[in-house]
Amino acid sequence: MKLESPQKEMYAKERFSAIQAQRLAQEIAFGPIVFQVSRLMVKFGIFQMLDDHKEGMTMEEIAQKANLSIYGAKVLLESSLTIGTILMREDKFFLAKAGWFLLNDDMARVNMDFNHDVNYLGLFNLEEAILNGKPEGLKVFGTWPTVYEGLSQLPPQVQKSWFGFDHFYSDNSFKQALEIVFSKHPKTLLDVGGNTGRWATQCVTHNKEVEVTIMDLPQQLEMMREQTKDLDGADRIHGHGCNLLDKSVPFPTGFNAIWMSQFLDCFSEEEVTSILSRAAKSMDKDSKLYIMETFWDRQRFETASYCLAQISIYFTAIANGNSKMYYSGDMARCVENAGLRIVTIHDGLGLGHSIMECEIRR
């Protein structure tokens, strides 16, 4: 594994003094408590109160406004004070920078909801998941082999946080992605793992001639049809139901472009190679295949790399037990092994996506 800057420099040397490292160790040890306290500071509106009252608020004022007992307010405020999300001066509490970001940063809010509703309980089984190579944490929701078979049956709040997380990251990249894909003027596009049809909808809106076929599980196609039925261009969105993990399932032919967005991170390297190999067999010399992913090693800011590396653990414990947010070199190897070649990589899309533009190897 070869990293590029800034990760190359960041991860090659010790980043903390001894005191900072000791503090970090304790933050890790108390991580579940820190998370839940901070979540409740958002949910109970305490961060918002402090943001609204720049002059500060007393504990009694906070307790009354949040409809909490003095005891409840006290334990949350004292914990948050030591975490560093709030400040205290002359018996009044103020919002600190970290608290402001938890309140106002959309990414932080989406990640927090996702971790609480989707991951929190199942992460207790991470050890089993790593040892067994199966999503052992998924059993808190059901007995499906992967989360994808159970998406339509998850509790409503879990579904909301799952799709909110998924759409937040992809939607921010769609505008730039459309320009890249449609610069080649495709008339037919195969959207592999198209989920609820958000990319397909963007395509038929962007181009009034393109025909889009979504290739996904039958239950996902049902959700897609429900989501898109009343939208302009829905008559140009089609479905092709299949189980992509079945190595005997071929790809349909005749498409100018094949699109895979935040899809291949749902599979192991062996499965990725199988999927790409079957895609390659369906392509001709003029076809293009686009892989859009958030590769953790191609991020501009290290905080994004940190977030993506932690999201990999969701795949381990909850989603399927064998996939992750990929290192770009691993994905490139899968592409080559599938009989394809990377024409170019477009970086810096949206919140950190890259697109690998591929064609069959001649």
Side-chain angles (χ1 to χ4, degrees):
M1 181 184 296
K2 295 182 179 180
L3 299 177
E4 303 296 332
S5 299
Q7 288 86 355
K8 182 178 181 180
E9 289 77 16
M10 177 70 71
Y11 300 140
K13 59 186 179 182
E14 180 63 65
R15 287 180 276 167
F16 308 106
S17 67
I19 292 177
Q20 290 171 329
Q22 182 186 42
R23 166 73 184 210
L24 176 59
Q26 297 308 318
E27 289 177 348
I28 293 169
F30 283 100
I33 295 173
V34 170
F35 175 84
Q36 290 295 354
V37 166
S38 300
R39 185 183 71 85
L40 292 180
M41 291 288 283
V42 174
K43 182 177 182 179
F44 292 158
I46 298 175
F47 285 155
Q48 186 64 63
M49 294 177 209
L50 297 177
D51 194 35
D52 293 339
H53 294 78
K54 308 297 186 188
E55 73 282 5
M57 297 178 71
T58 66
M59 183 182 300
E60 291 75 18
E61 289 170 336
I62 292 169
Q64 181 180 22
K65 194 170 180 64
N67 198 27
L68 297 173
S69 66
I70 291 294
Y71 168 78
K74 182 177 290 188
V75 294
L76 290 176
L77 291 168
E78 289 177 353
S79 175
S80 298
L81 190 63
T82 59
I83 291 168
T85 53
I86 63 173
L87 306 169
M88 185 178 181
R89 295 190 293 269
E90 297 179 356
D91 294 329
K92 286 190 175 183
F93 294 94
F94 302 82
L95 189 65
K97 291 178 181 177
W100 187 93
F101 277 105
L102 287 171
L103 178 65
N104 294 291
D105 183 0
D106 289 339
M107 185 184 297
R109 295 292 293 275
V110 165
N111 289 342
M112 182 169 278
D113 289 345
F114 180 68
N115 280 318
H116 178 67
D117 294 324
V118 179
N119 296 331
Y120 201 85
L121 296 177
L123 283 174
F124 189 82
N125 302 108
L126 176 61
E127 181 178 350
E128 294 174 70
I130 289 176
L131 294 175
N132 299 336
K134 297 179 180 180
E136 300 290 1
L138 183 57
K139 59 191 174 189
V140 301
F141 299 122
T143 58
W144 315 286
T146 73
V147 75
Y148 310 108
E149 285 92 338
L151 270 179
S152 61
Q153 303 171 60
L154 291 174
Q157 183 58 40
V158 178
Q159 277 194 31
K160 180 181 178 182
S161 292
W162 193 95
F163 283 112
F165 176 85
D166 184 66
H167 295 162
F168 177 78
Y169 285 95
S170 62
D171 287 4
N172 278 281
S173 303
F174 279 170
K175 183 177 180 180
Q176 293 162 286
L178 287 167
E179 296 299 326
I180 292 169
V181 172
F182 282 91
S183 68
K184 302 295 193 297
H185 310 291
K187 299 298 182 185
T188 55
L189 185 145
L190 182 65
D191 182 2
V192 186
N195 216 322
T196 57
R198 291 175 79 88
W199 167 253
T201 301
Q202 294 276 334
C203 289
V204 297
T205 301
H206 181 81
N207 185 288
K208 301 304 181 182
E209 297 180 358
V210 69
E211 298 280 338
V212 180
T213 297
I214 295 177
M215 187 178 184
D216 212 326
L217 292 165
Q219 56 266 43
Q220 292 301 105
L221 294 180
E222 290 179 15
M223 295 177 68
M224 176 274 292
R225 291 187 180 101
E226 182 63 28
Q227 292 286 328
T228 61
K229 63 182 181 181
D230 297 323
L231 301 176
D232 289 342
D235 59 319
R236 290 184 283 121
I237 301 176
H238 316 286
H240 182 91
C242 69
N243 179 6
L244 283 155
L245 285 177
D246 185 342
K247 295 180 181 179
S248 67
V249 172
F251 271 54
T253 58
F255 292 92
N256 305 133
I258 299 176
W259 173 258
M260 300 179 181
S261 172
Q262 292 184 183
F263 171 70
L264 293 178
D265 54 36
C266 301
F267 303 97
S268 68
E269 288 189 36
E270 179 184 356
E271 292 164 345
V272 168
T273 303
S274 170
I275 291 168
L276 291 176
S277 296
R278 284 176 277 150
K281 291 176 182 177
S282 76
M283 297 167 62
D284 61 34
K285 62 182 180 63
D286 296 318
S287 303
K288 299 294 182 184
L289 185 148
Y290 302 90
I291 300 169
M292 186 165 85
E293 292 287 347
T294 43
F295 299 113
W296 69 263
D297 63 303
R298 299 186 74 90
Q299 300 303 307
R300 180 181 178 188
F301 299 108
E302 195 277 332
T303 296
S305 298
Y306 168 85
C307 292
L308 292 170
Q310 312 320 313
I311 292 169
S312 286
I313 304 302
Y314 146 76
F315 289 101
T316 305
I318 306 293
N320 53 42
N322 61 9
S323 74
K324 61 191 292 292
M325 304 306 289
Y326 274 95
Y327 164 63
S328 63
D330 291 337
M331 184 62 71
R333 186 177 62 255
C334 292
V335 169
E336 292 293 323
N337 290 341
L340 297 162
R341 77 176 190 92
I342 298 172
V343 178
T344 188
I345 301 178
H346 307 271
D347 287 323
L349 282 69
L351 296 172
H353 279 85
S354 297
I355 291 180
M356 285 184 173
E357 184 177 333
C358 310
E359 63 184 17
I360 54 175
R361 201 162 58 234
R362 300 165 187 173

